[in-house]
Amino acid sequence: MHDVPQLPFDAAIAAIKAQVPERLQSPRVGIVCGSGLGGIVNSIQDLHLVQYNTIPGFAESTVPGHKSSLAFGTMGGVPVVAMLGRFHPYEGHPLRVVVYPIRVMARLGIANLILTNAAGGLNPKLAVGTIVALHDHLALPNMTGMNALLGPLTSPTHQRFIPLSDAYSPGLRRLLFLGAHHLGLDPDAVTEGTYAWVSGPTYESPAEGRFLRLVGADVVGMSTVPEVLAAREEGLDVMALSLVTNAVVIPETYRDIRAEVAAELAGKPVDLPPAQVVSHEEVLEIGKAKGEVMMKLVEYVVSAIP
Ligand SMILES: O=P(O)(O)O[C@H]1O[C@H](CO)[C@@H](O)[C@H]1O
């Protein structure tokens, strides 16, 4: 396999192999832990951590709730590698750096990739805490010049035109729902939906949230899609799970300040609606509170992959 120009794959693989026992050097499944979801590492046995700053080509994650290490070990006896901390374009990382760890994991031999993320709920039917298995995505940045696969072909053997109609593996999603059943989860705890990828780092304005809902997205977040594209280019089977950490505020009407002032001038009482704003702290809190369900599902799927 030829490598992406200027990305030091051989040095990265060598640095990893120097730090990980041979029995764990060829993981079958790769996992990416989303904001606040690093607890997934607790279900890895025979754990060996490799710091990103020891792997050539890796950046550092600068986002609270993301560490900067690769976790090697086993889950239900299956060798795995998990990214404790991902890179987002809004941190200033170029897209080829954002997806580099996915390509490194592919070169280590993974065949399946499980991505997790924290996301805002656009579909009003999704309660905070719901886990959404992505069956599709809507990526305005991809459609307007921020596609992670722009640029020279990754290698002469890679495909240029990657289909996305089959990006999210039905087989892995089937295992997920079998897992939800075996774990006795409430039927509404896990569902399927479409993820809107936005660049961030601002959360959505009400009009943006309304727009994304109108065009068919169920959840919204600032990650995952670039990783899905690279993984598909590398020939990996992909499952992506969003934990709904907050409801995106999409008011039907705006505060009518003109009417409020008129009422105030007329001496009438004015009822002020409570301000609703999302924060990353809230996102991390829900991640911590609900992360265990995500961990158990990931564990089930990893063990059940044929
Ligand atoms: O997608 P992950 O990395 O889980 O993080 C999500 O949480 C952060 C915002 O709170 C954004 O980075 C968003 O993408």
Side-chain angles (χ1 to χ4, degrees), residues 11-77:
I13 302 288
I16 290 169
K17 291 199 167 169
Q19 298 181 65
V20 173
E22 204 174 335
R23 63 182 180 280
L24 302 175
Q25 286 179 3
S26 303
R28 284 186 58 206
V29 183
I31 300 162
V32 178
C33 301
S35 287
L37 295 168
I40 291 172
V41 72
N42 294 329
S43 63
I44 298 184
Q45 292 90 44
D46 197 4
L47 181 66
H48 286 74
L49 293 179
V50 178
Q51 300 304 319
Y52 289 170
N53 63 12
T54 67
I55 311 175
F58 268 60
E60 288 278 296
S61 181
T62 64
V63 184
H66 290 259
K67 298 201 174 97
S68 284
S69 46
L70 273 186
F72 286 81
T74 60
M75 226 182 230

XYZ file of all heavy atoms in Angstrom, residues 11-77:
476
model
N 6.744 5.466 10.384
C 7.301 5.871 11.681
C 6.234 5.738 12.779
O 6.540 5.346 13.914
C 7.806 7.307 11.602
N 4.987 6.053 12.441
C 3.898 5.947 13.433
C 3.704 4.494 13.854
O 3.618 4.178 15.049
C 2.598 6.516 12.851
N 3.654 3.619 12.872
C 3.445 2.193 13.183
C 4.625 1.674 14.019
O 4.430 0.950 15.003
C 3.311 1.360 11.870
C 2.144 1.882 11.018
C 3.181 -0.134 12.163
C 0.774 1.597 11.522
N 5.831 2.085 13.647
C 7.005 1.617 14.395
C 6.952 2.118 15.836
O 7.223 1.362 16.785
C 8.287 2.093 13.704
N 6.570 3.390 16.024
C 6.513 3.953 17.383
C 5.463 3.218 18.217
O 5.671 2.949 19.412
C 6.187 5.449 17.308
N 4.350 2.894 17.600
C 3.287 2.173 18.335
C 3.772 0.775 18.697
O 3.657 0.333 19.855
C 1.995 2.120 17.478
C 1.379 3.521 17.374
C 1.010 1.118 18.059
C 0.271 3.652 16.349
N 4.336 0.088 17.708
C 4.735 -1.308 17.956
C 5.831 -1.406 19.017
O 5.908 -2.399 19.745
C 5.150 -1.981 16.650
C 3.931 -2.181 15.745
C 4.120 -3.205 14.660
C 2.739 -3.525 14.072
N 2.790 -4.302 12.855
N 6.636 -0.340 19.131
C 7.693 -0.350 20.150
C 7.101 -0.246 21.551
O 7.782 -0.547 22.540
C 8.653 0.804 19.892
N 5.846 0.192 21.663
C 5.264 0.425 22.996
C 4.162 -0.568 23.378
O 3.608 -0.486 24.475
C 4.668 1.837 23.050
C 5.699 2.934 22.833
C 5.061 4.310 22.919
O 4.570 4.707 23.967
N 5.066 5.039 21.822
N 3.806 -1.453 22.417
C 2.662 -2.337 22.662
C 3.117 -3.790 22.515
O 3.835 -4.118 21.570
C 1.546 -2.019 21.612
C 0.409 -3.002 21.704
C 1.051 -0.594 21.796
N 2.715 -4.667 23.455
C 3.124 -6.065 23.322
C 2.615 -6.672 22.011
O 1.543 -6.285 21.519
C 2.473 -6.761 24.516
C 1.777 -5.734 25.292
C 1.886 -4.414 24.618
N 3.370 -7.617 21.491
C 3.069 -8.176 20.176
C 1.634 -8.709 20.082
O 0.966 -8.540 19.055
C 4.069 -9.293 19.868
C 4.200 -9.504 18.376
C 5.296 -10.507 18.035
O 6.224 -10.656 18.854
O 5.183 -11.123 16.966
N 1.122 -9.295 21.176
C -0.211 -9.908 21.123
C -1.312 -8.869 20.856
O -2.418 -9.220 20.475
C -0.510 -10.675 22.426
C -0.545 -9.799 23.661
C -0.786 -10.569 24.952
N -0.813 -9.664 26.099
C 0.268 -9.175 26.689
N 1.470 -9.514 26.261
N 0.160 -8.339 27.713
N -0.990 -7.584 21.078
C -2.014 -6.536 20.903
C -1.738 -5.641 19.690
O -2.444 -4.664 19.458
C -2.072 -5.650 22.157
C -2.375 -6.368 23.477
C -2.275 -5.397 24.647
C -3.768 -6.997 23.433
N -0.716 -5.979 18.912
C -0.279 -5.061 17.843
C -1.167 -5.082 16.601
O -1.019 -4.219 15.738
C 1.168 -5.392 17.440
C 2.179 -4.940 18.469
C 3.606 -5.284 18.069
O 3.851 -5.805 16.990
N 4.552 -4.986 18.947
N -2.063 -6.069 16.491
C -2.933 -6.140 15.302
C -4.398 -6.152 15.713
O -5.067 -7.186 15.633
C -2.616 -7.408 14.498
O -1.263 -7.420 14.153
N -4.901 -4.995 16.174
C -6.300 -4.964 16.636
C -7.268 -5.230 15.495
O -6.987 -4.927 14.339
C -6.450 -3.532 17.156
C -5.354 -2.757 16.516
C -4.233 -3.705 16.266
N -8.420 -5.799 15.855
C -9.453 -6.089 14.830
C -10.446 -4.957 14.714
O -11.069 -4.751 13.673
C -10.223 -7.365 15.208
C -9.448 -8.638 14.936
C -10.330 -9.839 15.193
N -11.535 -9.825 14.371
C -12.679 -10.426 14.701
N -12.787 -11.086 15.828
N -13.721 -10.373 13.901
N -10.656 -4.254 15.841
C -11.679 -3.200 15.859
C -11.060 -1.906 16.382
O -10.313 -1.929 17.361
C -12.868 -3.600 16.777
C -13.967 -2.540 16.729
C -13.429 -4.954 16.387
N -11.373 -0.793 15.712
C -10.960 0.521 16.188
C -12.172 1.228 16.785
O -13.311 1.045 16.321
N -11.932 2.004 17.832
C -13.020 2.717 18.516
C -12.578 4.168 18.679
O -11.407 4.421 19.001
C -13.278 2.085 19.912
C -13.678 0.607 19.764
C -14.357 2.860 20.681
C -13.529 -0.197 21.042
N -13.472 5.106 18.444
C -13.151 6.519 18.709
C -14.110 6.995 19.793
O -15.338 6.870 19.646
C -13.288 7.390 17.440
C -12.988 8.851 17.762
C -12.341 6.888 16.342
N -13.549 7.523 20.887
C -14.381 7.960 22.015
C -14.718 9.440 21.863
O -13.829 10.280 21.759
C -13.651 7.737 23.331
S -13.209 6.018 23.596
N -16.002 9.754 21.871
C -16.455 11.130 21.727
C -16.337 11.910 23.020
O -15.890 11.383 24.053
N -16.762 13.176 22.969
C -16.690 14.072 24.132
C -17.338 13.438 25.353
O -18.523 13.068 25.318
C -17.416 15.384 23.836
O -16.667 16.159 22.953
N -16.555 13.281 26.414
C -17.084 12.742 27.667
C -17.277 11.241 27.640
O -17.787 10.663 28.593
N -16.890 10.576 26.533
C -17.179 9.151 26.395
C -15.931 8.282 26.543
O -15.929 7.108 26.182
C -17.874 8.888 25.048
C -19.256 9.554 24.942
C -19.784 9.513 23.510
C -20.251 8.874 25.884
N -14.876 8.883 27.096
C -13.618 8.150 27.272
C -13.739 6.996 28.247
O -12.859 6.127 28.305
N -14.838 6.938 29.004
C -15.065 5.850 29.963
C -15.127 4.496 29.284
O -15.011 3.456 29.946
N -15.302 4.494 27.968
C -15.317 3.230 27.211
C -14.034 2.442 27.496
O -14.021 1.217 27.479
C -15.487 3.525 25.691
C -16.897 4.054 25.423
C -15.198 2.295 24.830
C -17.152 4.554 24.015
N -12.970 3.169 27.815
C -11.675 2.521 28.083
C -11.774 1.554 29.272
O -11.003 0.596 29.373
C -10.572 3.587 28.325
C -10.744 4.281 29.665
C -9.185 2.997 28.200
N -12.767 1.792 30.150
C -12.894 0.933 31.335
C -13.259 -0.504 30.984
O -13.149 -1.389 31.825
C -13.931 1.507 32.311
C -13.440 2.821 32.885
O -12.239 3.017 33.045
N -14.356 3.749 33.153
N -13.751 -0.724 29.764
C -14.068 -2.117 29.429
C -12.946 -2.764 28.613
O -13.134 -3.829 28.050
C -15.410 -2.208 28.711
O -15.330 -1.513 27.515
N -11.796 -2.088 28.552
C -10.653 -2.698 27.853
C -9.762 -3.412 28.874
O -9.360 -2.826 29.880
C -9.843 -1.623 27.081
C -10.729 -0.977 26.017
C -8.589 -2.235 26.446
C -10.022 0.031 25.123
N -9.507 -4.696 28.608
C -8.591 -5.449 29.482
C -7.190 -5.446 28.866
O -7.046 -5.168 27.678
C -9.067 -6.910 29.640
C -10.370 -7.075 30.426
C -11.589 -7.015 29.524
O -11.611 -7.614 28.464
N -12.617 -6.276 29.959
N -6.208 -5.804 29.683
C -4.810 -5.886 29.212
C -4.414 -4.546 28.563
O -3.819 -4.500 27.487
C -4.721 -7.037 28.185
C -3.283 -7.485 27.945
O -2.373 -6.965 28.623
O -3.069 -8.323 27.048
N -4.769 -3.465 29.284
C -4.680 -2.104 28.715
C -3.244 -1.596 28.585
O -2.465 -1.662 29.539
C -5.478 -1.168 29.638
C -5.574 0.304 29.253
C -6.377 0.476 27.971
C -6.246 1.095 30.389
N -2.913 -1.080 27.406
C -1.620 -0.411 27.186
C -1.882 0.913 26.502
O -2.481 0.942 25.413
C -0.698 -1.278 26.312
C -0.148 -2.448 27.047
N -0.906 -3.549 27.367
C 1.088 -2.674 27.564
C -0.162 -4.410 28.045
N 1.057 -3.894 28.179
N -1.463 2.011 27.128
C -1.717 3.342 26.557
C -0.487 3.846 25.812
O 0.635 3.709 26.287
C -2.056 4.343 27.674
C -3.376 4.115 28.421
C -3.559 5.176 29.501
C -4.565 4.123 27.467
N -0.733 4.446 24.652
C 0.350 5.075 23.875
C -0.023 6.548 23.702
O -1.078 6.862 23.125
C 0.503 4.391 22.496
C 1.596 5.072 21.681
C 0.801 2.903 22.662
N 0.802 7.430 24.245
C 0.484 8.875 24.175
C 0.619 9.370 22.735
O 1.561 9.002 22.039
C 1.439 9.677 25.073
C 1.406 9.295 26.550
C 0.010 9.403 27.151
O -0.727 10.343 26.861
N -0.370 8.426 27.963
N -0.319 10.242 22.323
C -0.266 10.768 20.952
C 1.071 11.474 20.674
O 1.571 11.422 19.559
C -1.395 11.769 20.708
C -2.795 11.186 20.609
C -3.916 12.024 20.585
C -3.009 9.812 20.524
C -5.204 11.505 20.484
C -4.295 9.291 20.437
C -5.394 10.144 20.421
O -6.660 9.637 20.324
N 1.633 12.132 21.718
C 2.848 12.907 21.435
C 4.086 12.022 21.211
O 5.163 12.526 20.951
C 3.116 13.970 22.516
C 3.365 13.377 23.882
O 3.556 12.166 24.009
N 3.357 14.211 24.914
N 3.873 10.689 21.289
C 4.987 9.786 20.957
C 4.793 9.149 19.571
O 5.595 8.317 19.159
C 5.109 8.650 22.002
O 3.945 7.810 21.904
C 5.236 9.186 23.416
N 3.700 9.530 18.886
C 3.410 8.909 17.581
C 3.603 9.950 16.470
O 2.846 10.931 16.409
C 1.957 8.364 17.520
C 1.635 7.509 18.756
C 1.742 7.575 16.236
C 0.189 7.046 18.833
N 4.591 9.762 15.605
C 4.811 10.738 14.538
C 3.536 10.985 13.715
O 2.841 10.036 13.339
C 5.904 10.082 13.685
C 6.649 9.209 14.660
C 5.603 8.691 15.606
N 3.244 12.264 13.502
C 2.083 12.638 12.681
C 0.819 12.894 13.481
O -0.122 13.516 12.989
N 0.762 12.389 14.732
C -0.426 12.618 15.559
C -0.367 14.036 16.141
O 0.701 14.510 16.537
C -0.498 11.626 16.723
C -1.275 10.374 16.412
C -0.873 9.546 15.378
C -2.395 10.025 17.148
C -1.576 8.382 15.083
C -3.114 8.859 16.869
C -2.708 8.035 15.832
N -1.541 14.668 16.226
C -1.641 15.966 16.902
C -2.004 15.709 18.369
O -1.966 14.568 18.835
C -2.693 16.812 16.214
N -2.354 16.764 19.090
C -2.836 16.651 20.471
C -4.277 17.127 20.467
O -4.607 18.100 19.777
C -2.045 17.569 21.400
C -0.638 17.119 21.671
C -0.564 16.051 22.752
O -0.917 16.316 23.910
O -0.164 14.917 22.416
N -5.137 16.471 21.231
C -6.507 16.964 21.345
C -6.528 18.097 22.374
O -5.954 17.968 23.448
C -7.430 15.836 21.784
O -8.736 16.341 21.867
N -7.190 19.201 22.027
C -7.200 20.356 22.932
C -8.569 20.562 23.577
O -8.798 21.561 24.238
C -6.854 21.644 22.149
O -7.885 21.876 21.170
C -5.515 21.539 21.439
N -9.487 19.604 23.376
C -10.871 19.800 23.830
C -11.087 19.113 25.174
O -10.755 17.927 25.303
C -11.854 19.214 22.782
C -13.293 19.494 23.164
C -11.549 19.773 21.399
N -11.642 19.826 26.182
C -11.945 19.153 27.453
C -12.831 17.932 27.197
O -13.748 17.984 26.370
C -12.699 20.219 28.253
C -12.275 21.525 27.654
C -11.992 21.252 26.204
N -12.541 16.831 27.901
C -13.312 15.598 27.680
C -12.638 14.691 26.674
O -13.139 13.608 26.377
N -11.528 15.153 26.086
C -10.758 14.314 25.155
C -9.336 14.212 25.687
O -8.687 15.229 25.926
C -10.712 14.931 23.753
C -12.030 14.904 23.040
N -12.337 13.975 22.083
C -13.126 15.691 23.168
C -13.564 14.189 21.636
N -14.064 15.235 22.284
N -8.858 12.971 25.877
C -7.462 12.791 26.273
C -6.661 12.664 24.987
O -7.195 12.789 23.902
C -7.337 11.543 27.131
C -8.132 11.630 28.416
C -7.587 10.643 29.430
C -8.270 10.821 30.765
N -9.375 9.861 30.969
N -5.389 12.387 25.093
C -4.575 12.262 23.888
C -3.765 10.984 23.952
O -2.547 11.000 23.984
C -3.662 13.486 23.741
O -4.417 14.588 23.288
N -4.490 9.848 23.977
C -3.751 8.584 23.904
C -4.543 7.509 23.187
O -5.781 7.552 23.135
C -3.315 8.105 25.293
O -4.355 8.205 26.203
N -3.792 6.570 22.629
C -4.383 5.386 21.999
C -4.373 4.278 23.037
O -3.334 4.039 23.670
C -3.524 4.919 20.822
C -3.731 5.513 19.432
C -2.843 4.761 18.429
C -5.179 5.473 18.998
N -5.517 3.609 23.200
C -5.604 2.516 24.172
C -5.639 1.185 23.436
O -6.537 0.951 22.626
C -6.856 2.680 25.023
N -4.659 0.348 23.721
C -4.618 -1.001 23.136
C -5.017 -1.999 24.210
O -4.697 -1.814 25.386
C -3.209 -1.332 22.641
C -2.831 -0.608 21.372
C -2.395 0.708 21.421
C -2.930 -1.239 20.138
C -2.045 1.379 20.257
C -2.595 -0.573 18.973
C -2.155 0.740 19.022
N -5.685 -3.067 23.812
C -6.064 -4.095 24.777
C -7.065 -5.035 24.156
O -7.131 -5.153 22.921
N -7.866 -5.677 24.991
C -8.890 -6.587 24.462
C -10.245 -6.242 25.075
O -10.326 -5.730 26.195
C -8.574 -8.067 24.804
O -8.517 -8.195 26.229
C -7.267 -8.519 24.191
N -11.279 -6.530 24.287
C -12.652 -6.340 24.766
C -13.356 -7.666 24.497
O -13.447 -8.070 23.320
C -13.307 -5.226 23.931
C -14.059 -4.202 24.727
S -14.832 -3.001 23.644
C -14.290 -1.511 24.421
N -13.787 -8.344 25.549
C -14.392 -9.663 25.358
C -13.453 -10.590 24.589
O -13.898 -11.386 23.762
N -12.160 -10.431 24.801
C -11.179 -11.303 24.142
C -10.743 -10.822 22.761
O -9.803 -11.356 22.180
